[in-house]
Structure formats: C-alpha cells, structure tokens
Amino acid sequence: MEVIVEKTYVEMSRAAAREVADVINAKPNAVLGLATGSTPLGLYQELARMHKHGELDLSHVTTFNLDEYVGLPISHPQSYYHFMFENFFKHVNIPEQNIHIPSGTTNNYRAFCDWYDRRIKEVGGIDLQILGIGSDGHIGFNEPGSSLSSRTRLKTLARSTVEDNARFFERKADVPIYAITMGVGTIMEARQIVMLADGAKKAAAIAAAVEGPVTAMITASALQLHPRTKVYLDNEAAGQLKMRDYYDWVELKKPGAPKV
Ligand code: PGA
C-alpha cells in the first residue's frame, strides 16, 4: 500500500481526484468503482470542477457503485442512487446507461447480486475502485466478519454502522438495517484501488487496516494483499499510524525515484 498524507481534507480530495483523472485520461473508457458517504464528496466536487473547465471528459466512462440500502426507492433522499446523482452524476457527462448502482428494491436479491458481479466482468472489470472506510474498518458494507473472498450480496449492517448513518435520517428507526454491497473479493479484483479517509474518528480504523494484521474483523485490511492500492489521508486520519515518518519520506523522495 502506498500511504499519502495531505494536510487537509481539501488537499487530500484534490490529490485523489488527480489520480482518478490520470486513469480516465490514460483510458477514456475506464471502468470506475464508486463510493458514497461524506468522505468522497470533495473528490467528486474536484472531478466536477475539472469537467466544467474542460479538463476532464467522462463521456466513455462506466461506473459501478459499491452499495445501496435495501428498501429505499431510488427517489428517497437518503438512497445512494439519489446521493450519486445529486453529488456527482448530474455535474459530469457519464452516459446514464453506463451507470450501475445496486438495486435496493429488487424482488430477487440473489439474482440481482449475481448479475451485478457478472456485469462488472462483462465490461472488462473495474480499472479504479474508490473506497471510504467505516469506523469499524469496513469497505463497502462489508462489516467485521465478512469473508475476505465475498461477492456482491445482501448484508445486515452492524449496529455501529446504523448509528453512524443515523445522522442522515430524521428518526433512528428509519435507518435501513440491510444493504447490498460488493464483496471484499469483488473489490479486490479492481486493477487499482484508492481508499480515502479524513478526520480523527477514522484514525483507529486506518491504523488497523494499513498496519494491523489482515483480518476479516477489519475488512479494509484485505487491501494489504492488493498489488496497487493507494491510501489518501488527511493529517487527523493518519494520527495513529506508526510508520508515518516512512510514508512521508517515500513521498518526499518520489521525484528522484527511478521511473518504473
Ligand atoms: P463516510 O462513510 O465517508 O460517510 O465516513 C464511509 C464508510 O462507511 O465507508
């Protein structure tokens, strides 16, 4: 894993957006895996800004979202479908038919999940997967204990996740308990992965994911086995990393490194 620590959330978001833009510029029909949540909002804003200024064309890009709440119609303001259109898709030029978001209202979850994984393969696999991390170390909604080779499927959310997400709902009783999520195994097949985290409340999960043992108890730790993962952090999210000096040293010395 390459760990890149920026001073602020804005700088972290810009650095990650440059990474995403580089992938799209090198491969205009790139397939992106996308995440919801507060963390990637700055990244999406930066990509939208690049697009608005004519610096980034997404007209051949295909996307797959990581997850969706079960039971929320797409029109629900807290559905991830709604989130993605409001915060990203309506500001860029990805054709609607290239956008994939798990359905939270299918009447056959098993068949839908199998189709979703198959569809990812059919379009050639995910070139770059964007991830946040939960305070319990989850990626997507792969809660502690999820198989590290899991595929897209229905999951019961952890109590801590329901509580973390309650801030978006009027009443705690309205927070969905189930979700569809890409599996850890599905995520691990992406050619490149960018994981983002900001704020002190993510520091423990990041330290466990990056420097702790690989364990299903922290599903983000599976990324230690991925050959091309970059972790973009702000100072606070990096607060509990033991190897911080080394990560900063690597970034400092990067301009002089032999080109690979
Ligand atoms: P957040 O969620 O970006 O809203 O903190 C991240 C996650 O739960 O994966």
Side-chain angles (χ1 to χ4, degrees):
M1 274 196 234
E2 187 176 333
V3 179
I4 298 141
V5 185
E6 302 286 347
K7 283 195 199 69
T8 65
Y9 174 75
V10 171
E11 287 169 85
M12 175 199 81
S13 302
R14 285 199 188 128
R18 277 195 298 276
E19 186 81 33
V20 177
D22 284 349
V23 167
I24 298 169
N25 287 327
K27 184 178 178 187
N29 65 344
V31 180
L32 301 181
L34 300 178
T36 50
S38 321
T39 313
L41 281 174
L43 160 71
Y44 293 144
Q45 278 162 15
E46 181 61 12
L47 292 175
R49 191 201 60 76
M50 289 176 183
H51 171 67
K52 193 172 160 199
H53 289 87
E55 296 160 24
L56 187 64
D57 174 24
L58 298 103
S59 61
H60 298 287
V61 164
T62 295
T63 66
F64 287 88
N65 262 79
L66 276 173
D67 44 18
E68 178 60 285
Y69 288 126
V70 163
L72 298 191
I74 59 176
S75 58
H76 192 288
Q78 296 308 331
S79 76
Y80 285 168
Y81 184 99
H82 190 264
F83 175 101
M84 288 308 298
F85 274 84
E86 283 304 307
N87 292 300
F88 188 45
F89 295 138
K90 84 175 189 197
H91 307 287
V92 293
N93 63 336
I94 301 172
E96 209 161 328
Q97 69 272 17
N98 291 7
I99 293 170
H100 303 80
I101 300 175
S103 165
T105 53
T106 169
N107 52 19
N108 189 338
Y109 283 96
R110 174 71 64 83
F112 181 85
C113 292
D114 290 350
W115 172 82
Y116 204 72
D117 274 349
R118 238 183 4 258
R119 186 80 195 117
I120 293 172
K121 286 212 169 81
E122 271 168 19
V123 300
I126 291 174
D127 292 300
L128 175 69
Q129 175 69 55
I130 296 161
L131 297 174
I133 182 171
S135 53
D136 64 357
H138 71 204
I139 47 177
F141 274 134
N142 293 286
E143 302 289 30
S146 293
S147 160
L148 299 186
S149 57
S150 50
R151 313 302 306 176
T152 300
R153 70 212 182 292
L154 191 76
K155 276 299 281 185
T156 305
L157 304 183
R159 275 186 218 273
S160 61
T161 302
V162 174
E163 276 155 24
D164 282 352
N165 293 344
R167 66 190 195 276
F168 300 112
F169 291 81
E170 264 171 40
R171 296 177 318 146
K172 199 173 152 195
D174 295 338
V175 188
I177 308 289
Y178 308 98
I180 284 190
T181 181
M182 275 188 205
V184 182
T186 318
I187 293 168
M188 291 289 284
E189 284 167 6
R191 292 182 190 92
Q192 272 177 257
I193 295 179
V194 161
M195 181 163 72
L196 302 161
D198 67 289
K201 67 180 191 308
K202 297 292 175 66
I206 283 293
V210 174
E211 296 180 341
V214 174
T215 167
M217 294 309 290
I218 302 282
T219 51
S221 68
L223 301 175
Q224 292 178 33
L225 300 173
H226 189 276
R228 265 185 103 184
T229 290
K230 288 191 184 181
V231 183
Y232 286 89
L233 305 171
D234 72 351
N235 253 325
E236 289 185 337
Q240 292 186 32
L241 289 172
K242 292 196 180 68
M243 298 279 287
R244 169 72 194 267
D245 281 351
Y246 177 65
Y247 307 136
D248 290 348
W249 168 256
V250 169
E251 291 311 303
L252 194 68
K253 295 295 169 191
K254 220 175 193 176
K259 296 281 167 269
V260 287

